[in-house]
Amino acid sequence: MPQPHVFRALLVFLIGLIGLACTPARAELDETYEGLLVPNNFESAIQVTLQLHERSGQLTGTITTGAPFHVTAALSSGVNKYGQCNMRIPLTPSFSLRLYGSCQSALFEGRYTIYTTQSEDKPRGTFRLMRKEVKKEVDDDGLPKRSTYAPPTGSLTDCIKTNTRCLMACPQGDYNSEFLCSNRCRRKYQACKAQFSATPAPKAGSGSLLPDSGPTPAR
């Protein structure tokens, strides 16, 4: 007869198999993030937009940075291990950027280091990148997809209501995220308002009556 410890080992093994079968597979990243690199030395933050794609844990993509670099560069290496992303991006021949932190579909945050061949000093800091909503051209059924905050076609009042909903949907509690979101809402509101401001006034119909000039004189 099998010993009790054999039954216990078999039970633990079966429970482990059931746990693996019930654990949902982690979705691979395919997102666009935007936010700021905030230096530890209180210098100006660097605005970045990161396009990230994951295949079997390997990361590829591009990053676009604001001042002082103003470049668009591709990842030279990147890996995602259990929700922790580590990547390196050569910005220029002399500077390269390393990002490391927690990467989820809605948020990528952590620490960064800028390596340079010209100095031993390595600028460091933190970053917090929020997922950027990219408008899809078509929905899952192949039909044209309408953006949630697309400019309305009704009136200027609808523009104001849509802008209010857009601002209410912005994330709260983080200044950088709120600032970027409110700027997007403001641009959409200005575009909506300009649409109605540029609408020409309706022309008089061809059948409009002319002013009455009185009876026609008799000949």
Side-chain angles (χ1 to χ4, degrees):
M1 177 180 294
Q3 299 299 319
H5 69 274
V6 176
F7 284 111
R8 287 196 296 270
L10 181 59
L11 182 60
V12 171
F13 176 72
L14 291 176
I15 292 174
L17 289 179
I18 294 173
L20 290 175
C22 295
T23 302
R26 181 181 60 82
E28 294 185 329
L29 298 175
D30 190 5
E31 306 292 349
T32 298
Y33 303 91
E34 61 181 5
L36 298 172
L37 306 181
V38 182
N40 290 339
N41 57 6
F42 303 104
E43 292 184 356
S44 298
I46 304 172
Q47 187 166 1
V48 299
T49 299
L50 175 66
Q51 293 180 332
L52 204 58
H53 312 284
E54 179 185 357
R55 294 297 179 269
S56 301
Q58 299 299 312
L59 300 174
T60 59
T62 59
I63 191 170
T64 300
T65 70
F69 297 101
H70 292 293
V71 298
T72 297
L75 276 67
S76 61
S77 62
V79 63
N80 182 357
K81 290 186 177 180
Y82 308 106
Q84 294 293 316
C85 289
N86 188 356
M87 65 194 69
R88 184 181 291 269
I89 309 110
L91 300 177
T92 70
S94 301
F95 292 91
S96 62
L97 171 67
R98 178 183 178 238
L99 300 176
Y100 177 78
S102 172
C103 48
Q104 308 298 326
S105 60
L107 175 66
F108 180 25
E109 61 179 344
R111 306 193 65 83
Y112 77 88
T113 304
I114 297 178
Y115 295 89
T116 173
T117 59
Q118 301 174 350
S119 172
E120 293 297 327
D121 183 32
K122 299 180 178 61
R124 305 173 188 272
T126 60
F127 67 89
R128 181 180 175 89
L129 310 181
M130 303 294 295
R131 177 175 61 189
K132 179 180 179 181
E133 296 294 340
V134 180
K135 185 176 68 174
K136 295 172 62 177
E137 297 298 330
V138 295
D139 59 18
D140 295 334
D141 297 325
L143 300 175
K145 184 175 180 64
R146 186 174 182 179
S147 174
T148 305
Y149 302 112
T153 57
S155 65
L156 186 58
T157 302
D158 289 333
C159 292
I160 297 173
K161 292 180 179 178
T162 302
N163 182 58
T164 301
R165 291 194 297 269
C166 182
L167 291 172
M168 291 179 63
C170 286
Q172 303 295 320
D174 182 83
Y175 173 77
N176 295 331
S177 302
E178 292 181 30
F179 178 76
L180 293 172
C181 182
S182 62
N183 272 350
R184 287 197 300 270
C185 295
R186 187 179 301 109
R187 288 195 299 268
K188 292 176 182 178
Y189 171 70
Q190 294 296 338
C192 179
K193 186 171 68 172
Q195 173 185 345
F196 292 108
S197 300
T199 303
K203 296 181 180 180
S206 57
S208 299
L209 297 176
L210 296 175
D212 186 6
S213 57
T216 304
R219 292 184 182 274

